[in-house]
Amino acid sequence: MIRTDTPQTIRLTDYRAPGYLINHVSLNVRLNREATRITARLDLLPNPASPDAGGPLVLDGQGLRLEAINIDGVPLTEDQYSLDNEHLTIHKLPQRAVCIETETTVDPSANKALSGLYLSNGVYCTQCEAEGFRRIAFFLDRPDVLSRYRVRLEARKSEAPQLLSNGNLVMAGDIVGSDRHFAIWEDPHLKPSYLFAMVAGDLACVEDSFTTRSGRKVLLQIYVEHGKEERCGWAMTSLKAAMKWDEERFGREYDLDRFMIVAVSDFNMGAMENKGLNIFNDKYVLASPDSATDQDYAHIESVIAHEYFHNWTGNRITCRDWFQLCLKEGLTVYRDQEFSSDIRSRPVKRISDVKLLRAQQFAEDAGPLAHPVRPSSYMEINNFYTATVYEKGAEVVRMLATLLGEEGFRKAMDIYFARHDGDAATVEDFVKCMEDASGRDLSQFFHWYEQAGTPQVMAQSRWLQSEGVFELTLTQSLAPTPGQPTKPDLDIPLAMGLVGPVGEDMPLDLEGTGVLNNPVIELREAVQVFRFRNVRQRPVPSLNRGFSAPVRLVSNFSAADEVALMGRDSDPFNRWEMAQNRASEIITRAIAAPDHAVSADLARGYGEALKRVLADNGLEDAFKALMAMLPGEQDLARELGSNVDPAAIHAARDALRRALGTQLEAELQRIWEALPTGGAYSPDPASAGRRSLGHAALDLLIAGDAASGAQLALGHFHAATNMTDKMGALNVLARIDCPQREEALSAFYDSHRSDPLLVDKWMTLNAVAPFEGAIARVRELMQHELFDITRPNRVRALIGSFAAMNPVQFNAPSGEGYELVAGVIEKLDGFNPQVAARLATNYRSWRALEPGRRAKAHDTLTRLRDRANVSRDTFEIISKSLEG
Ligand code: 0A1
Ligand code: ZN
C-alpha cells in the first residue's frame, strides 16, 4: 500500500507570532511506570502583538490521555473544545489572563520513541527538543513561547530516590502515610518548553563546585548509574574548564546556583542542554583509561562544553522558530570548537573539524538532502539536526569572525548578548549585531545562510616576473541543489599567503588596497583578479589557509608546488591539505588504472615528502598522525562525483597504503617502537598525539606487510594497558581478514561483555570489515543476545557503523547491504522514527553510484518509501533522496 497522506511541508515564510502567551507553568507530575499523571496549570493570556489573539486556542499534544480540563476552575463541557491526534482546540477563550488546567496520563514504559517522558534502564527521563514537551502536557510547544516553570515531582521513594528538574530545589519531603516522596523545583529563568526536563531514579551523584568570577559558588552534580561514579572525573574536569573558558573568552557567567548533568543509556542524540539539567547519552560522560579512548575523552570534553555553552547561546537567547536552529547550534558548535582549540592544539583541532565537515556536511550538500544552513521548509524538524545546520552553521560563524577580526567579533557578540538576552531571536538579529559592531554591510554574506551546496572556487595564478606582480584569478560557482536552480555570488573570505623559497610568508601588497595586515582577501564577484605587487621571487600561493571558507578549491597549481607547501607552509592546515590533495590525485589515477595499480613514481614522490614530515622534530605527533592518514574512501567517492565503484576506490586507496607501508617501513618501524606501552595513562594532548601517531604508523605497516603487521597488532592488543592502545590495535585488525582479528575480537568480547559502551565498540569493530562475510556477520549479530533494536546506541554501533563506515560492504553489488539496513529501518520506524530516519540518510549518495548499484539502491529506497505507515520522519528522508 502506498502512503496517501503526504506529510505537510512547514515553511519559514508562514511564521506567525503565537496568538496566546503562557507566562507561568505549574506542573504536578505523579510518576508511575505505566500511568504517569500530570496536572498542568498554564497562566495564559492573549498576545497583544498577534493578530491571532482572540482566536481559538490550539494546544499541541501527542499520545496524551486527557482526564480533565478546566478554565479558572470551571470544567469545560465537551462542546467547548475538540481533540485530535495532535491538538487540543479550545474554541473560545475570554480575552483576559486565564488559568487553564489539564490533567493527562501517559505511559512512560511504552515510550520507545525516546521523545517526551520515557524510561532508560529504569530511570525516568525526558527529551523535549524539538517537539517532545507535547508528549508530556498540552501546550504551545514552540520556542517563541517563554514561560516560568514550577514543577512538583512525586514518585515511590524506593523507585526514584532522586527527583530532579530545572532550576532550584525549593522544597522536598515525604508524603506521610505512603511510600512516596516529592520535590518542588522552580526555574527563575524564562524558557521555551523544549528546554524543560525532569529526571527521577536511583542514581549515584558526584559533586564538585565552581566559583564564578563574580564570586558565586555553583554546585556541580553529575548523576550516573551506581558503580559508574569513578568514570565521571573527566566530565567534571571538562565542565569546570568550559565554565572558566566562557567567562574568559566571551565574558559569560553561569546564572543558577546549581548545574546538573544526568547520564542515561538510551538517548536519541548526543546530549541535551535543558536549563540547569543537561541530559547526556552516557557515552559522552563516562570515561576511564580502561574503557575510553583518547578520542572518547576529546569528544566528552567537547560535548560537555557544547551543552554548557548553550546556556547563553540557546537558552538565554533562544530561537524564534525551528528554522533558526543554526542560530543556537552553529554558534554553539563554533564556541565548542574554539574551546577545544584553545585548550588543545589549534591546527590539529581544525584539521579534525574539517575532516568531519567534509565527510558529513560536504556529502550532505552534494546530494538530494542538501539544504541551506537555515532551511526554508521542512516536513519533520527532527530531520534538520544535520551537519549542515551544525557544522556548516559553525563555519558561517567562523567566517564572520574572520571578517570582523577577533576584537570585532567579540564586540559583536557582546552586543548580541546585551541586546537579545531573554529573546527568541532570528538569524537576522544575530547578523545585525555583526553589522552594527563592524559597520559592514553583510547582506551579500547573508546568502551563506540561504544557499545550499558547497561553493567551488577556481584559482589560477601567474607570476609576471618583469612587473614583479603575482596575479591571482578567482572564479566562484555554486551548482544547483534541490529547489535552488540558480545562486547569487557569495562573499567568500580567503585567508592566504605567498610562500617564498624557504617557507617565509612574503608581504601581501594588494593593488588598490596596499599591504594587508590581516592576510585575508574577499571574493565577492563571480570572477575577480587580485594583483600583488613587489613580488620579486616566484611565490607558491597558499590559499584558504586554516580552511577560512567552506569551499571546494580547485587550482592550476602544480604537483611540485603542492609538495613544496606540504613540506613548508607556515599554515599547518594547508600542509595537511596539500598532502590530501596529492594523495587524492594519486588514488584517483589508480582507480582508473588496470587492476587499480598505483603509479610507482607518484607514490615514491609522495612517500619522500611524507618521510620528511615524519622526520621533522618541530612538528606535533598528532599533526604527523593526521599527515600519515590518507583521505577516506567516502571523500574520494565524493571527489569522483559520479559512476562510483566503492570497491575500486577501496582497492586503489589500499594500493597507495601498501606502497607507503613498504617504502617507509624503516621510519614507520621507528615510530612504532617509540610508542610507549604500559605505564600510567594520561589523556593529555601530547600523550594522545604519541598514541595516534603510533597507530597511524601501525596502519601503514600492516598495509605494507599484512602477516607481520597483524602479529604486531595482536601483540599490541594483548599488551595494552588502556583502551586507546587496545582500540588502536583492533581498528587495524578489524579491517583485515586474518586469524589474529578473530582472536583479538573474541578476547575483547570476553573481557568487556558486561560493559554496554564496550559492547558497542565491539559491535562496530565487527561491522566495519571491508571483506566478504561482513554482511553475514552483521546479520548474525542482530540475533546476538546483546543486540537490542530499542537501544539507539546499539543500533548505531552495529547498523549505523556498517552503513556509514563500511562503504564496500554496504554497497555490495548484490544489493544485500542495502537490504540489510532497510530491514532495520522498517522495524525501527514503527517505534523510533527519529533514529530510523537518520539511518536512512546513509543512502543519500546513491545517485552517484555506478549503474548496477544505483539500480539496487533505487529499488530498496522505493520499497521503503511506499510502505504503509511509514513515519513522517523516514518518509521525508527517503522521498527527498529519491527525488533529488
Ligand atoms: N540540542 C542538542 C541536540 C539534540 C537535539 C534533539 C534531541 O532530541 C531529538 C536531542 C538533542 C545539542 O545540540 O546538543
Ligand atoms: Zn547544540
Side-chain angles (χ1 to χ4, degrees), residues 376-452:
S376 56
S377 69
Y378 60 77
M379 289 180 196
E380 171 52 62
I381 185 56
N382 285 318
N383 286 332
F384 284 81
Y385 289 79
T386 61
T388 296
V389 170
Y390 276 65
E391 267 69 37
K392 188 175 178 183
E395 293 301 316
V396 174
V397 175
R398 182 171 299 281
M399 285 190 284
L400 286 169
T402 301
L403 288 172
L404 269 60
E406 199 174 310
E407 262 178 53
F409 182 72
R410 172 64 201 266
K411 185 174 156 208
M413 288 300 295
D414 286 347
I415 295 177
Y416 178 63
F417 291 125
R419 191 181 287 173
H420 292 292
D421 188 10
D423 286 354
T426 61
V427 173
E428 279 82 358
D429 294 331
F430 176 73
V431 174
K432 182 75 169 59
C433 297
M434 300 285 141
E435 288 188 323
D436 291 352
S438 63
R440 294 178 65 115
D441 174 355
L442 293 169
S443 44
Q444 187 186 1
F445 183 86
F446 202 85
H447 298 317
W448 279 106
Y449 284 104
E450 301 175 319
Q451 296 300 313

Side-chain angles (χ1 to χ4, degrees), residues 129 273 306 310 313 319 324-334 385 389-390 393-394:
E129 188 176 7
E273 70 265 23
H306 179 97
H310 267 315
T313 49
C319 302
Q324 319 296 329
L325 185 55
C326 69
L327 178 70
K328 73 178 178 83
E329 296 305 346
L331 179 55
T332 305
V333 171
Y334 171 75
Y385 289 79
V389 170
Y390 276 65

Side-chain angles (χ1 to χ4, degrees), residues 812-816 818-819 851-861:
S814 64
E816 276 176 278
Y818 304 141
E819 281 299 304
R853 290 173 169 93
R854 200 192 313 152
K856 300 275 186 200
H858 181 262
D859 288 352
T860 303
L861 283 171

Side-chain angles (χ1 to χ4, degrees), residues 744-794:
L745 281 177
S746 67
F748 187 90
Y749 177 78
D750 290 342
S751 334
H752 303 300
R753 56 192 297 173
S754 59
D755 184 327
L757 293 176
L758 295 180
V759 172
D760 287 342
K761 285 187 175 9
W762 177 76
M763 292 268 175
T764 298
L765 289 165
N766 276 283
V768 297
F771 43 83
E772 176 96 44
I775 295 177
R777 174 70 65 93
V778 172
R779 285 206 184 277
E780 194 182 304
L781 287 176
M782 285 165 61
Q783 306 304 321
H784 193 281
E785 55 174 346
L786 291 180
F787 185 75
D788 179 350
I789 196 170
T790 67
R791 316 202 87 161
N793 283 358
R794 200 51 51 88

Side-chain angles (χ1 to χ4, degrees), residues 1 133 222 585 674:
M1 195 180 82
F133 191 78
I222 302 183
E585 191 188 323

Side-chain angles (χ1 to χ4, degrees), residues 267-270 325 360 364 369 371 380-391 792 795-796 799-801 803-804 810 821 824-825 828-829 832-844 871-878 881:
F267 202 73
N268 280 349
M269 307 276 277
L325 185 55
Q360 300 187 359
E364 187 164 70
L369 301 179
H371 56 274
E380 171 52 62
I381 185 56
N382 285 318
N383 286 332
F384 284 81
Y385 289 79
T386 61
T388 296
V389 170
Y390 276 65
E391 267 69 37
V795 173
R796 284 185 286 248
I799 312 299
S801 307
F810 174 58
V821 175
V824 178
I825 293 171
L828 202 51
D829 201 36
N832 190 338
Q834 275 180 35
V835 175
R838 195 160 284 260
L839 199 51
T841 62
N842 285 297
Y843 297 90
R844 67 183 167 205
S871 69
R872 173 168 58 201
D873 310 57
T874 300
F875 177 80
E876 178 172 34
I877 297 296
I878 308 259
S881 297

